[in-house]
Amino acid sequence: MSVTRTVPNAINQSESTLNKIAVCTLLSFVAVANAFAQEPTISKEPLSERRVSYTMNVTLNPETKTVTGTERLTWRNPDSVPVGELQFHLYLNAFKNERSTFMKESGGAHRGFTAGDEDPWGGVQITRMQIVPDIDADLTPAIPSPGATDLTDRIRFIQPDDGNQDDETVISVMLPRPVQPGETITLDIDFESRMPEIVARTGWKMGESGEPFFMVAQWFPKIGVYEIPGQRYVPEDAERGRWNTHQFHANSEFYADFGTYDVTITTPESFVVGASGRIQDEVIEGGYRTVRYLANDVHDFAWTASPDFLVYEDTWRHVSIRLLLQPVHEGQAQRHFNAAKTALERFDEWVGEYPYTTLTLVDGLGGSNGMEYPTLITCGTYYKLPEWLRGLELVTIHEFGHQYFYGLLASNEFEEAWLDEGMNSYIETRIMDDAYGVGAVIDIAGLQVSDISLQRVAYTKSKASRVRMVQNSWEYPFGDYGTASYSKPSTVMHTLERYLGWETMRRFLRTYYERWRFRHPTTRDLQDVAEDVSGQDLDWFFDQFVYGTATVDYAIDPPLLVSPQSEEGDEVQYRNRVRIVRNGDGIFPQTLLVKFDDGSEEVREWDGEEKWIEFEFLKPARMSEAYIDPDNRILIDTNRLNNRRIRNTLADGSLARMAQLRLASFVHQLLVLLSGLL
Amino acid sequence: MSQPFFKHGIETARRRPALAGLLYGMNLIIGLILTVPIYIALSSVTGASGFAANLTNQFDITLWADIMEDAAPAFQALVGQLIWILPVYFLWKVASSVGIIHTLDTSGVRSFWHGVGEYTGKAVLLGLVFLVHLIVLGVGIAIAVVVFGMIWPGEAGVFWIYFVFMPVSFVLGAAVIDMMHDYARMELVIGERPVMESWLSGIRWPFRYGGADTLYVAWFVLAGIILVLPTIIDLNMGGIWLVFLVQQIVLFLRATATVGWFGSEVLFYQTAMAEKEPVLADVEVGLTKSTVG
């Protein structure tokens, strides 16, 4: 077990096995870790375009649940024309009152979690926004400025998505003078963020010890993405680019530009802090702990603080993994590390190298769990979670996957959520099933459930036909977002993998990563890569199942028709007919396997376009079975049961009999139990 | 000292296989009746599908999801059947209990069906009273869960309260009520007492006779172990008919245990009554006054 546990405030509380091997483990990875001692990425050179740069100095007040501080933001105009307006996300205002768009969409609850009754609201307030003159910024040249210009009064709230005037999650600031092409502007922003009681993703919650836990995310004024002509869906020939900002919604929350974050955080001394990026230094003075983190080539920054965290450390190649665990989950550290390493290894092999040198796993409270931020993810487990139920592993692998599909391949979650949630769910299912086998999610007493089968059922047994994968996230009817962004894309991509073959799919994944990492890919970009790599026109696939609502359901139309046709000598010839019908509006090429009583087999291919087709086999044996998609390649087929048919005279009642008899025994047991109560 | 009563119960079970057969047979019939729609539905949905053989060997959630979708009406019918089967089973349970007590009465040769005919009506009333006990128990546990939840919030608290305290306290509470119910029925059938007197007497038994408690726990453990066996067999044995056959043997054994359990309790009851009224003493197994202590 290569895990180090460190205890907050250097109090040696434990004699656990984890600690006993700490020294050996430390020695073993110190050499590797030194190579990247203070570097947040594997490269000393910028890995991204770095249009933005943040330097923040903030203080957490646990009593008032506030984070106050200053932010120095530098933004470079990437356009070829001057830009006279800046737009920012103030996403913490989603939790400001019940009139925000988030609260209206979510009904005040998110994935089962609701805030408490005792003043749960939060919000961020900008108390000063000022252009900084003569700044020695990272991004040069700086905008020439005659002097400090206060922009505070120029801030106005805008609602680009729904016009909800009560929503204050996006602001626009008109500049006194436009930022010229290629120039940078530096702003000093003073702000106070009042953390809400956790409903979704961010806020505070009292731990079992009575001490507060803070998940500080979506917490600072963050500049939006200015898309230039040719970027994403802005036409190449457009005169100018445009801001792409969205209000904070119940189902989506991420889209920002890559840059650098240099963040200094002060908390009471007793708090353990974890954050995006790599820690640079830590000072304890006057009862306060001040830590400085540097995160490069990321598009967000989040942090957490709690006096209760148990701290464990481990390493995987160049990555220092730090786990902040709730005390109630002590004993599950290794499961977290194993899951993280399982994900790191497979992403490295299948997609590309993890370019950061840190990964922080946070075991949060309440609705903060199961969330992704750059180099920091919240996981989620339960007290005494059994080994056969791999919820911990699933959520850890899924959230780590977002380091790629969201973090590095920074698609616009508001407009194309499937590109991060769906692609990530696809890889998550692949990793889970590859690492843990057919019982990847549940494996107890013969009941084995794999991850992809769960996703497949979630897709095929929901209102699948109504859901398009490419759609603004806030426009989905209630409940459809999950199918559209998780289970459907996961099932669709597995089907594409089986259609193209795993090796082609793997090349596609690697190429997609190499071509689009540290950028903002679209569905069109992803399809282009898939077509380039496979050498095939995949419009038929993407139009139907990604952009469209087509559903696939091919079935053997019963019964199988067998009739004696002629006699040639002593041999009887049988006319065997099987009809395949297309029940859905989706078209997918089909393979038909037909088996005969004499053991022979016939295979037919069909383009699947007609509503039905009949195949006829004149053979000296009767057809015993007809089976479409016998290799189970088309996972988007909404009913697999009707893919196969045997001759009626061969009907097999074994399953029905077994189910009845076992259920009868079970009912018998229940009756005996019940008799104790009556 | 409960050992002689336990041995008597074993002996009773050995001597009265017909009673056990009756209990077993009725449960089996109900089980089979309830599951006939499942057989029909699954047979029509999977019989000619070609997947039946695969599914008997390996669970496949995607195929089962298709099956559940195609056979949904049958599963809904199963739930519908429970609506009428539960009251019927309640009546049968009450009737069979008084019948068994009546026929196991050691003071003479008595008919099971005579007991059923004579005491079922009163026993139903008694059963309804004890149903109130169960409801009170449920409400009490619910209140305790809420209170404990306030005292011990958090995940560990939730685990221990909901997954340990709640089921364990319900099982133990239900066992105590079941024991009270058993002896109340004996007061009703053997003691020929009115319903309310039987009830009052029954609820005092667990607190009055430590030997009765010991005896109940012994049978509770034995019967509980036997009842778990069919599940273990289900999860660990292959085949269809062989599993069913072995399960039925075990379930018959469980019905036998019920007869033995009643046999022990009836003898204990009669011995205790004999100590209070020596003239009624049954000397069949040579019990002394100290036996029931």
Side-chain angles (χ1 to χ4, degrees):
Chain A
M1 185 185 284
S2 56
V3 177
T4 307
R5 173 178 161 186
T6 55
V7 179
N9 304 324
I11 301 167
N12 189 2
Q13 298 174 331
S14 171
E15 292 296 323
S16 71
T17 309
L18 297 175
N19 270 339
K20 287 175 184 172
I21 51 88
V23 175
C24 296
T25 310
L26 272 171
L27 289 174
S28 68
F29 74 74
V30 154
V32 178
N34 274 347
F36 305 100
Q38 301 298 314
E39 296 294 334
T41 70
I42 55 174
S43 170
K44 289 188 190 301
E45 300 301 316
L47 296 170
S48 67
E49 199 180 335
R50 294 189 182 177
R51 290 183 186 176
V52 296
S53 165
Y54 293 86
T55 302
M56 289 189 271
N57 196 328
V58 297
T59 302
L60 170 69
N61 184 335
E63 299 300 321
T64 58
K65 315 286 191 298
T66 55
V67 177
T68 53
T70 60
E71 166 184 328
R72 174 158 288 183
L73 163 69
T74 303
W75 178 78
R76 180 164 52 83
N77 176 8
D79 208 345
S80 58
V81 296
V83 173
E85 178 198 18
L86 301 180
Q87 289 188 8
F88 293 80
H89 295 135
L90 298 186
Y91 280 164
L92 209 57
N93 284 342
F95 313 106
K96 190 173 184 178
N97 54 50
E98 59 195 9
R99 301 185 304 279
S100 71
T101 291
F102 169 84
M103 295 303 287
K104 285 184 172 178
E105 288 177 349
S106 67
H110 186 261
R111 298 181 184 179
F113 291 99
T114 54
D117 297 330
E118 195 180 324
D119 192 13
W121 303 110
V124 55
Q125 186 178 9
I126 295 175
T127 52
R128 182 179 69 100
M129 179 183 283
Q130 196 164 40
I131 296 176
V132 181
D134 303 325
I135 181 68
D136 187 16
D138 293 343
L139 308 174
T140 54
I143 181 173
S145 175
T149 305
D150 196 319
L151 302 176
T152 315
D153 291 339
R154 293 169 177 262
I155 295 172
R156 64 185 177 90
F157 293 106
I158 59 173
Q159 298 81 23
D161 297 336
D162 65 359
N164 172 14
Q165 294 296 311
D166 292 322
D167 189 82
E168 299 181 353
T169 56
V170 182
I171 59 170
S172 163
V173 181
M174 296 306 294
L175 298 171
R177 189 179 80 75
V179 185
Q180 296 303 309
E183 279 188 344
T184 62
I185 182 170
T186 299
L187 305 177
D188 270 350
I189 302 170
D190 296 344
F191 66 95
E192 179 175 286
S193 296
R194 184 168 184 232
M195 305 310 293
E197 186 173 351
I198 289 175
V199 178
R201 314 163 176 106
T202 184
W204 62 271
K205 189 174 177 66
M206 281 298 171
E208 293 187 23
S209 67
E211 296 286 349
F213 156 82
F214 287 91
M215 186 64 230
V216 188
Q218 307 289 14
W219 58 288
F220 62 95
K222 185 164 65 172
I223 197 161
V225 177
Y226 184 90
E227 295 179 344
I228 60 175
Q231 183 178 0
R232 294 188 72 252
Y233 295 111
V234 182
E236 288 274 5
D237 58 355
E239 285 185 9
R240 58 183 307 120
R242 65 187 182 203
W243 286 100
N244 188 313
T245 51
H246 290 284
Q247 295 159 247
F248 195 86
H249 291 280
N251 288 326
S252 54
E253 59 265 279
F254 298 118
Y255 187 46
D257 259 331
F258 287 93
T260 61
Y261 287 79
D262 186 340
V263 183
T264 302
I265 301 163
T266 299
T267 68
E269 182 185 344
S270 61
F271 278 66
V272 176
V273 177
S276 296
R278 186 157 203 119
I279 192 165
Q280 301 300 298
D281 46 56
E282 182 167 13
V283 176
I284 297 174
E285 196 172 45
Y288 290 94
R289 178 187 303 270
T290 300
V291 288
R292 178 172 163 249
Y293 276 87
L294 190 61
N296 289 345
D297 304 303
V298 296
H299 53 72
D300 197 5
F301 187 94
W303 54 285
T304 184
S306 167
D308 293 336
F309 281 138
L310 301 178
V311 183
Y312 299 85
E313 290 173 353
D314 199 350
T315 187
W316 179 86
R317 297 187 196 168
H318 61 276
V319 184
S320 300
I321 310 173
R322 189 164 180 246
L323 169 64
L324 307 178
L325 196 65
Q326 297 293 334
V328 73
H329 300 144
E330 188 175 17
Q332 297 187 37
Q334 196 60 51
R335 286 182 71 173
H336 284 82
F337 284 125
N338 288 347
K341 289 180 182 179
T342 296
L344 276 160
E345 277 167 13
R346 282 163 178 80
F347 265 96
D348 182 80
E349 186 183 342
W350 296 346
V351 184
E353 187 175 27
Y354 180 70
Y356 306 109
T357 59
T358 62
L359 175 64
T360 300
L361 313 175
V362 179
D363 178 22
L365 291 178
S368 68
N369 276 331
M371 200 59 195
E372 67 277 11
Y373 305 99
T375 76
L376 181 148
I377 58 174
T378 57
C379 302
T381 183
Y382 293 97
Y383 180 69
K384 292 196 178 295
L385 183 74
E387 297 275 345
W388 56 264
L389 189 60
R390 295 197 183 86
L392 183 167
E393 286 79 3
L394 189 150
V395 73
T396 303
I397 289 170
H398 180 91
E399 303 311 334
F400 173 78
H402 279 304
Q403 297 305 310
Y404 287 76
F405 297 102
Y406 141 85
L408 294 156
L409 298 156
S411 45
N412 185 332
E413 194 194 17
F414 297 90
E415 297 174 6
E416 297 169 292
W418 86 273
L419 282 175
D420 60 279
E421 293 296 358
M423 286 299 291
N424 187 37
S425 293
Y426 159 64
I427 297 285
E428 163 221 302
T429 53
R430 255 206 141 269
I431 293 175
M432 285 292 293
D433 295 346
D434 182 63
Y436 304 108
V438 289
V441 181
I442 300 171
D443 191 355
I444 182 171
L447 182 70
Q448 294 182 313
V449 179
S450 66
D451 200 2
I452 180 53
S453 61
L454 276 183
Q455 295 281 4
R456 181 181 187 179
V457 168
Y459 163 61
T460 58
K461 301 309 168 197
S462 68
K463 298 164 288 183
S465 61
R466 291 204 289 117
V467 181
R468 297 168 66 230
M469 280 159 56
V470 183
Q471 185 170 310
N472 290 329
S473 66
W474 64 92
E475 291 173 350
Y476 282 110
F478 182 78
D480 280 3
Y481 171 79
T483 304
S485 304
Y486 292 81
S487 56
K488 180 178 177 183
S490 172
T491 312
V492 165
M493 295 314 286
H494 269 282
T495 301
L496 183 63
E497 175 192 318
R498 284 156 174 76
Y499 180 76
L500 296 175
W502 168 233
E503 279 313 311
T504 304
M505 193 71 176
R506 197 163 124 173
R507 279 193 291 119
F508 152 63
L509 289 170
R510 294 195 77 88
T511 308
Y512 178 54
Y513 175 73
E514 284 163 13
R515 200 177 286 181
W516 285 102
R517 62 187 163 181
F518 301 110
R519 297 169 68 193
H520 303 297
T522 63
T523 304
R524 184 68 244 172
D525 299 324
L526 180 137
Q527 184 181 341
D528 285 346
V529 175
E531 290 180 339
D532 287 352
V533 170
S534 66
Q536 297 184 40
D537 181 347
L538 294 172
D539 276 347
W540 69 272
F541 184 90
F542 278 78
D543 287 349
Q544 290 189 98
F545 310 120
V546 176
Y547 294 105
T549 60
T551 55
V552 172
D553 180 21
Y554 289 86
I556 302 287
D557 191 22
L560 305 183
L561 298 172
V562 180
S563 55
Q565 184 67 7
S566 63
E567 281 188 36
E568 292 178 4
D570 294 335
E571 197 172 61
V572 179
Q573 290 288 317
Y574 291 94
R575 186 179 177 216
N576 299 286
R577 286 176 293 154
V578 56
R579 177 182 292 198
I580 306 174
V581 294
R582 176 166 61 80
N583 294 327
D585 56 348
I587 294 171
F588 207 102
Q590 297 290 322
T591 300
L592 170 69
L593 170 70
V594 179
K595 293 183 179 178
F596 297 88
D597 283 347
D598 62 359
S600 62
E601 294 181 354
E602 298 276 353
V603 176
R604 295 286 185 275
E605 300 292 337
W606 176 42
D607 61 16
E609 290 190 6
E610 296 85 1
K611 278 296 286 180
W612 61 271
I613 191 169
E614 187 170 279
F615 291 94
E616 184 173 308
F617 305 90
L618 197 61
K619 300 259 296 181
R622 290 182 296 177
M623 175 168 51
S624 59
E625 177 181 345
Y627 196 170
I628 48 176
D629 188 27
D631 297 324
N632 194 21
R633 295 182 308 123
I634 308 167
L635 302 195
I636 50 177
D637 191 320
T638 56
N639 189 329
R640 190 175 153 221
L641 193 65
N642 62 21
N643 285 9
R644 189 177 181 187
R645 200 78 194 175
I646 56 178
R647 205 168 65 234
N648 278 348
T649 52
L650 300 175
D652 179 3
S654 59
L655 178 70
R657 182 63 67 204
M658 185 178 83
Q660 189 209 3
L661 294 180
R662 296 206 173 177
L663 195 60
S665 292
F666 180 66
V667 168
H668 194 142
Q669 286 174 278
L670 281 183
L671 292 174
V672 173
L673 259 182
L674 194 63
S675 70
L677 301 176
L678 300 177
Chain B
M1 188 62 186
S2 303
Q3 205 174 1
F5 300 104
F6 190 78
K7 281 183 179 171
H8 176 78
I10 299 286
E11 180 60 22
T12 304
R14 196 186 64 77
R15 285 191 290 108
R16 309 298 292 262
L19 271 182
L22 188 64
L23 295 180
Y24 161 79
M26 186 59 80
N27 284 344
L28 178 64
I29 288 167
I30 293 174
L32 289 175
I33 288 174
L34 276 177
T35 54
V36 162
I38 301 298
Y39 172 77
I40 293 170
L42 286 182
S43 187
S44 69
V45 170
T46 67
S49 76
F51 285 113
N54 304 56
L55 286 170
T56 55
N57 297 319
Q58 189 169 11
F59 178 77
D60 185 327
I61 192 172
T62 56
L63 284 172
W64 273 107
D66 292 338
I67 291 169
M68 296 296 280
E69 189 175 57
D70 290 358
F75 289 100
Q76 286 161 6
L78 179 66
V79 176
Q81 287 196 66
L82 290 176
I83 292 168
W84 66 263
I85 212 91
L86 283 175
V88 169
Y89 189 72
F90 170 73
L91 276 178
W92 163 244
K93 160 63 185 172
V94 169
S96 63
S97 295
V98 293
I100 290 173
I101 291 169
H102 190 252
T103 195
L104 294 184
D105 184 343
T106 56
S107 60
V109 179
R110 301 183 181 205
S111 152
F112 170 85
W113 294 110
H114 181 253
V116 170
E118 189 167 347
Y119 297 105
T120 295
K122 291 177 189 171
V124 166
L125 289 177
L126 189 65
L128 292 174
V129 173
F130 276 99
L131 267 183
V132 174
H133 282 238
L134 266 181
I135 293 167
V136 170
L137 173 69
V139 171
I141 290 172
I143 292 170
V145 163
V146 171
V147 172
F148 290 158
M150 288 190 288
I151 296 169
W152 193 6
E155 259 179 76
V158 166
F159 175 85
W160 290 106
I161 292 167
Y162 285 92
F163 293 101
V164 179
F165 167 75
M166 201 167 77
V168 168
S169 59
F170 185 78
V171 167
L172 293 181
V176 171
I177 292 171
D178 182 50
M179 181 183 164
M180 291 172 173
H181 199 168
D182 283 352
Y183 285 100
R185 283 194 190 111
M186 285 176 232
E187 294 281 12
L188 188 78
V189 176
I190 302 173
E192 297 279 1
R193 293 198 184 186
V195 172
M196 294 313 286
E197 271 188 42
S198 299
W199 168 63
L200 285 170
S201 177
I203 61 177
R204 286 198 289 265
W205 270 82
F207 311 105
R208 188 183 288 175
Y209 298 102
D213 298 338
T214 310
L215 190 63
Y216 187 92
V217 169
W219 278 107
F220 183 84
V221 171
L222 179 65
I225 291 170
I226 296 172
L227 191 59
V228 170
L229 287 177
T231 304
I232 296 172
I233 292 163
D234 193 348
L235 297 175
N236 292 285
M237 267 184 77
I240 299 172
W241 288 104
L242 181 63
V243 169
F244 183 70
L245 186 67
V246 176
Q247 283 181 320
Q248 296 316 300
I249 292 169
V250 173
L251 288 168
F252 178 78
L253 198 61
R254 178 60 183 80
T256 305
T258 299
V259 174
W261 195 337
F262 271 117
S264 290
E265 288 187 328
V266 165
L267 182 64
F268 191 96
Y269 170 82
Q270 291 186 305
T271 306
M273 291 300 103
E275 286 177 2
K276 286 170 67 178
E277 300 175 64
V279 69
L280 296 176
D282 184 341
V283 292
E284 183 187 358
V285 289
L287 298 169
T288 66
K289 277 193 174 183
S290 61
T291 312
V292 298

